[in-house]
Amino acid sequence: MSLAARLLLAFGLVAIIATAFVGLTLREASREIIEGGFAERIDAAHAGVRQQLAWEADALRDLLPPLCRHDTFVDKAHVELERAKGDPDAMDPGSRIALGRLVPSQAKALRLDELSLVAGDGSVLGAEDAARIGARDKRLAELIQAPGGAPRLRPAKAGGEPSLEVHCALSSHGVTIGLVGARRIGPVLARIGEAYHVRLTAAREGELAPRSSEAEVVRVLHFAEIPGLDVVASVPRDPLRQALARLDRAIALTGATVLAIAVAMAVVLARSLSRPLVALARETREVMSGAPRRVEGRGGREIADLAAAFNATIDELAAMRKRLAATERIAARREVARQIAHEIKNPLAPIRAAVETLRRLRQRDDPAFDDYFAEATSTVLNEVHRIANIVTEFTQFARLPPPNLTPIDLVAVARGVITLHAAPASGEVTSGAGLSSGAGATSGAPSPRVELVADPIPEVSADRDQLIQVLTNLVQNGLDAASAIRRDPRVSVTIGPLPNDRVRIVVRDNGPGVAEEMVPRLFEPYATSKEKGTGLGLAIAQRIVFEHGGEITYRKAKKGGAVFEIWLPIAGPPLLEKPLGDTTVRPRPPDAPRS
């Protein structure tokens, strides 16, 4: 993952996590605040209802007793009932009608929702509701027999509502008459609830108290001033849901804005950070694929420190490589001297023997001298020629020039080599020489077959002549080895791409393969199993491949034959693989002035 992608991901995650954390915290705090507001409103409504009911109770406590003590309305009713000897049915109908008309006006004057004039047996002599006149209510009879006092709660009847009820009574000469008044609690609750935006309803006797839900907050309020009165206070949660929905939209909008700002900052920061790194990487690649030179670090102190460290490393590696090359040259000279001494020692023995024999024959004036002279001089000349060939071959190996790198079409180079080797040997008739580049086929005796299988690859930076030399050596070796045991020798060359900007060349033959005892020494100079071979072909091929920054290996094919595999970098040999020349950078401190 690139630096820009990682910065974008990091900034995006930070923005999302921060927005989510702050948003959730703010949302929960807002929920608690709004829920607390609901509780405060219910508490305020509770206090308001308590205060209003206390005021209503105080007002009702002193409202009716004065009427029963000295009001002409009550006295007149008591006199009429006393004339009827306490029997409401025996009262004068006209008097009852008059009493029935007086009660509603009296109830209105006293601001009572209900007012009843009741006889001692519970008969209703007058009421604000004319339908109740003449009815007999046992509860009212018991009520007026009880002493008056503080208002009491009258539970709600079916379809009605609870009320505060007070009464007074006038008893004289065995006749009792009383007034029973009530004010409904519902209007008080409605008025207080509207003021505090709380719905207040009196709980009905025997009903289960409701509980809070997702739709509303519910609490049951108790009032010690009025025993038995329970009020259900409820606040809908719609404002909470609406507020949270607005808050969620605001958080989402804020989060999107923060994310956009974070992404923009990440893009700017990534560009400011990656641009000098990309430039440094490009310069580094140029250094590794070209002549060693110092790189420039731009974009910050850290980048400059990195460039300085890289320059110091390159300088030190160049110096180490120079020392290593000198050491390797010394070792190579020793090895060449040993190999030359070993190879020259063999022809020196017959030369010495021939010269010593000639000297003895000459000293004795042996007649055989003239006969042996031609043979001895021929032997000396042959061995001298052999020594000259050995010295020439070693000179060529030692003087192998460094690769002259140019972009080449490796497939075209291989096709040219195969074209030369696909033709039959001298004196043979073609019958099936194969060439992937389109060589024709004729009939006749078997001939070597060389084929090329190539996948598309880019141009390779390499020395054209040296790669031709390597391919020629491998193809010719394969044909020679296969021709020694088969009538249909074949060599195939396969070229294809590899990861990490490399290409692969595989040369495979159908011969016997390399003998097991020769495999460890396969690429050593003068290591050969051929009678006429010099043993320098594979050594030269290995040196060429190595100086191109590649690698050459051998393995035995599964079905027999030899397989040589070469890996080459497309961009040419890296810096440390190139042969040293006069342009090698000398070690110097990182702070040394640049030329």
Side-chain angles (χ1 to χ4, degrees):
M1 184 181 294
S2 65
L3 176 61
R6 282 183 288 180
L7 284 176
L8 286 174
L9 181 61
F11 275 66
L13 287 177
V14 169
I16 293 173
I17 293 173
T19 303
F21 177 76
V22 174
L24 291 177
T25 303
L26 182 60
R27 195 177 193 277
E28 189 61 27
S30 300
R31 175 187 289 275
E32 293 178 357
I33 291 173
I34 297 175
E35 293 277 5
F38 291 162
E40 291 176 359
R41 285 160 54 185
I42 292 175
D43 291 339
H46 189 190
V49 171
R50 177 181 286 113
Q51 182 180 2
Q52 185 65 28
L53 290 179
W55 183 86
E56 293 285 349
D58 291 342
L60 289 174
R61 183 183 296 111
D62 301 328
L63 189 61
L64 293 184
L67 297 178
C68 291
R69 287 197 297 268
H70 46 71
D71 189 81
T72 56
F73 160 66
V74 179
D75 290 341
K76 182 178 179 180
H78 186 270
V79 170
E80 292 294 333
L81 186 59
E82 187 176 355
R83 287 178 183 175
K85 299 180 180 180
D87 184 5
D89 294 333
M91 292 179 64
D92 180 55
S95 298
R96 293 190 63 175
I97 293 173
L99 291 173
R101 291 177 179 175
L102 288 173
V103 171
S105 60
Q106 194 68 28
K108 186 176 182 179
L110 297 174
R111 296 186 299 108
L112 293 173
D113 296 314
E114 297 180 12
L115 183 61
S116 301
L117 181 62
V118 184
D121 62 353
S123 298
V124 178
L125 302 178
E128 88 293 342
D129 185 4
R132 296 174 55 218
I133 298 175
R136 183 171 294 179
D137 191 336
K138 184 178 179 181
R139 187 187 70 82
L140 295 178
E142 295 176 353
L143 183 61
I144 63 175
Q145 298 299 326
R152 67 183 66 187
L153 176 68
R154 188 187 72 185
K157 299 178 181 178
E161 57 181 308
S163 305
L164 289 179
E165 191 175 57
V166 293
H167 73 280
C168 67
L170 175 62
S171 297
S172 169
H173 304 96
V175 177
T176 301
I177 194 171
L179 285 173
V180 179
R183 282 183 181 168
R184 293 192 294 272
I185 297 177
V188 176
L189 299 180
R191 186 169 62 253
I192 302 298
E194 185 178 359
Y196 293 99
H197 303 286
V198 179
R199 187 163 62 89
L200 300 173
T201 56
R204 296 184 178 275
E205 188 176 2
E207 290 184 354
L208 294 176
R211 296 182 178 181
S212 297
S213 64
E214 291 294 329
E216 59 182 359
V217 179
V218 179
R219 190 195 300 176
V220 178
L221 308 179
H222 305 283
F223 297 91
E225 298 84 358
I226 304 176
L229 176 62
D230 292 332
V231 175
V232 178
S234 62
V235 179
R237 293 182 183 268
D238 292 338
L240 173 62
R241 289 196 293 270
Q242 294 172 0
L244 292 180
R246 290 195 300 270
L247 183 61
D248 289 342
R249 290 194 294 270
I251 292 173
L253 180 60
T254 302
T257 304
V258 172
L259 181 60
I261 294 174
V263 170
M265 292 178 60
V267 170
V268 173
L269 186 60
R271 287 181 177 177
S272 63
L273 289 178
S274 61
R275 187 179 293 111
L277 290 177
V278 170
L280 181 61
R282 183 179 63 254
E283 290 186 9
T284 303
R285 286 193 297 270
E286 292 175 355
V287 168
M288 296 304 294
S289 61
R293 59 182 177 82
R294 301 178 67 82
V295 299
E296 296 290 338
R298 306 179 184 88
R301 186 182 64 186
E302 293 80 3
I303 304 299
D305 292 343
L306 178 60
F310 178 81
N311 291 331
T313 303
I314 290 296
D315 291 343
E316 182 62 25
L317 287 176
M320 290 176 60
R321 182 171 177 268
K322 183 178 180 181
R323 293 193 295 269
L324 180 61
T327 304
E328 289 179 347
R329 283 196 295 271
I330 294 174
R333 292 190 184 103
R334 291 176 178 175
E335 179 64 19
V336 169
R338 185 186 68 81
Q339 291 283 358
I340 292 176
H342 174 74
E343 295 297 329
I344 292 179
K345 185 182 295 183
N346 293 330
L348 286 178
I351 291 176
R352 180 178 180 179
V355 172
E356 289 178 348
T357 302
L358 286 175
R359 286 173 60 85
R360 287 195 302 271
L361 293 176
R362 182 65 177 174
Q363 289 175 357
R364 296 198 303 262
D365 293 328
D366 194 318
F369 176 82
D370 293 332
D371 296 333
Y372 183 71
F373 181 81
E375 179 183 353
T377 54
S378 176
T379 300
V380 170
L381 289 176
N382 289 335
E383 295 302 323
V384 169
H385 180 69
R386 180 180 171 189
I387 292 174
N389 287 338
I390 292 173
V391 174
T392 300
E393 291 172 357
F394 268 107
T395 301
Q396 292 176 352
F397 177 69
R399 292 181 179 178
L400 186 67
N404 181 22
L405 302 179
T406 57
I408 64 171
D409 184 349
L410 186 59
V411 176
V413 170
R415 187 176 292 114
V417 172
I418 290 171
T419 301
L420 295 176
H421 290 81
S426 177
E428 294 181 350
V429 181
T430 59
S431 65
L435 184 63
S436 64
S437 59
T442 59
S443 60
S447 64
R449 180 184 176 192
V450 184
E451 57 186 2
L452 171 65
V453 178
D455 293 331
I457 61 171
E459 288 188 336
V460 179
S461 179
D463 188 311
R464 180 184 184 90
D465 294 336
Q466 290 188 1
L467 288 189
I468 290 176
Q469 184 177 358
V470 172
L471 290 175
T472 300
N473 184 277
L474 294 178
V475 171
Q476 187 61 54
N477 284 351
L479 290 175
D480 292 344
S483 299
I485 64 170
R486 306 179 67 97
R487 288 177 52 83
D488 58 340
R490 292 194 309 273
V491 174
S492 66
V493 179
T494 304
I495 299 177
L498 281 178
N500 300 324
D501 296 328
R502 297 181 300 167
V503 295
R504 177 176 61 181
I505 306 172
V506 180
V507 180
R508 180 183 289 105
D509 63 59
N510 62 345
V514 178
E516 292 296 331
E517 63 273 12
M518 283 294 301
V519 172
R521 301 175 55 244
L522 189 59
F523 296 101
E524 293 182 3
Y526 274 91
T528 181
S529 59
K530 297 181 180 180
E531 294 181 359
K532 298 181 180 180
T534 62
L536 291 177
L538 289 179
I540 293 174
Q542 185 189 52
R543 178 172 173 180
I544 292 174
V545 171
F546 281 0
E547 290 188 350
H548 278 75
E551 185 177 351
I552 180 171
T553 60
Y554 163 80
R555 71 175 186 272
K556 191 170 185 178
K558 294 181 179 179
K559 296 182 180 180
V563 179
F564 287 89
E565 193 164 347
I566 299 173
W567 297 276
L568 293 175
I570 293 176
L575 170 67
L576 299 181
E577 294 293 338
K578 293 182 179 180
L580 286 172
D582 296 337
T583 59
T584 303
V585 174
R586 269 66 174 179
R588 58 180 174 181
D591 55 351
R594 298 180 178 88
S595 57

